[in-house]
Amino acid sequence: DVKVTQSSRYLVKRTGEKVFLECVQDMDHENMFWYRQDPGLGLRLIYFSYDVKMKEKGDIPEGYSVSREKKERFSLILESASTNQTSMYLCASSLSFRVSGNTIYFGEGSWLTVV
Amino acid sequence: KQEVTQIPAALSVPEGENLVLNCSFTDSAIYNLQWFRQDPGKGLTSLLLIQSSQREQTSGRLNASLDKSSGRSTLYIAASQPGDSATYLCAAPERGGADGLTFGKGTHLIIQP
């Protein structure tokens, strides 16, 4: 069965802390994504990666960085957490969308509260 | 940049009704479109993926259609059940073939028992 696992479901961090959100997929997918989801704004793409050590900025990369040292793992890093980064973060993975029949699989989400 | 709009934002209907959720997108040069379901506090689950060469795709009581020329997709739910209550999102690929998806803000569906 397809599996995207986000290691932390609920986190509470203080302003200024460095925060790591970890995501692992077991499907040997090339693509991995980080989205955040906020009421009224929907899902917004933060960063994505189409290969190991490769990364591309999404729509809202400011304040975030990512790391992809291994194919199965994609980490989202908040260098200095701020209250406006309180959100639900969703990790996803897929084979290339340009190949027909490929869909995207999501993790369960990580709820981050910055106080 | 791709923009995806979903109408209505919320919908509440009695159990048993057939219903239609609408999705429109601005860039019709897409190679597929996907519909997802999201339960409260959970991640997204893919329901249907329609390739650009297809006009519709069916899974059980769900049927999704795609009209690229008009930039529209619809999700039809037959004989709705309380378990169908969730938020439904559609997503289209970004222009230029990049592998990111742009999501609509979803339709929050409540099926009344």
Side-chain angles (χ1 to χ4, degrees):
Chain A
D1 207 13
V2 197
K3 198 80 172 170
V4 178
T5 302
Q6 295 182 231
S7 56
S8 302
R9 284 283 281 150
Y10 302 96
L11 305 94
V12 179
K13 298 292 182 180
R14 294 192 180 278
T15 300
E17 276 194 72
K18 191 169 186 176
V19 181
F20 292 86
L21 299 180
E22 306 286 348
C23 176
V24 176
Q25 50 95 2
D26 64 359
M27 297 161 283
D28 201 34
H29 284 167
E30 293 91 353
N31 296 341
M32 295 190 75
F33 308 84
W34 276 105
Y35 289 86
R36 64 177 281 178
Q37 186 175 30
D38 301 287
L41 297 176
L43 275 86
R44 292 178 292 167
L45 182 63
I46 305 172
Y47 268 98
F48 68 97
S49 167
Y50 52 87
D51 202 353
V52 175
K53 296 191 184 295
M54 305 299 288
K55 61 183 180 183
E56 294 285 342
K57 293 181 179 179
D59 299 321
I60 51 163
E62 297 79 17
Y64 302 95
S65 63
V66 290
S67 172
R68 192 158 182 210
E69 296 296 318
K70 293 184 178 181
K71 191 175 185 179
E72 68 270 20
R73 186 179 297 270
F74 193 36
S75 303
L76 180 69
I77 303 158
L78 287 67
E79 296 289 343
S80 177
S82 63
T83 54
N84 63 11
Q85 292 178 311
T86 292
S87 186
M88 179 172 180
Y89 290 87
L90 289 161
C91 175
S93 74
S94 75
L95 294 169
S96 172
F97 294 133
R98 283 170 261 190
V99 177
S100 67
N102 291 326
T103 189
I104 185 170
Y105 298 90
F106 281 84
E108 287 289 285
S110 297
W111 290 91
L112 172 66
T113 302
V114 183
V115 297
Chain B
K1 180 169 167 33
Q2 182 72 272
E3 293 181 10
V4 178
T5 304
Q6 291 187 247
I7 295 172
L11 184 62
S12 180
V13 300
E15 179 178 4
E17 281 200 12
N18 302 325
L19 52 98
V20 176
L21 308 182
N22 296 293
C23 172
S24 61
F25 46 93
T26 55
D27 180 6
S28 60
I30 58 172
Y31 34 84
N32 59 41
L33 183 137
Q34 299 185 47
W35 282 92
F36 296 85
R37 169 184 173 136
Q38 185 176 30
D39 294 293
K42 302 279 187 165
L44 280 69
T45 300
S46 180
L47 295 173
L48 290 163
L49 182 150
I50 314 173
Q51 302 300 334
S52 60
S53 57
Q54 298 174 316
R55 290 194 64 83
E56 60 180 59
Q57 189 72 255
T58 298
S59 176
R61 293 182 294 106
L62 305 180
N63 175 276
S65 67
L66 175 63
D67 183 346
K68 283 183 59 178
S69 61
S70 66
R72 294 183 181 183
S73 177
T74 60
L75 180 66
Y76 176 82
I77 303 177
S80 58
Q81 303 171 358
D84 295 331
S85 298
T87 297
Y88 292 82
L89 299 101
C90 69
E94 278 295 331
R95 184 181 183 86
D99 282 330
L101 290 177
T102 297
F103 285 81
K105 293 182 181 178
T107 294
H108 181 55
L109 177 64
I110 297 174
I111 307 298
Q112 306 154 13

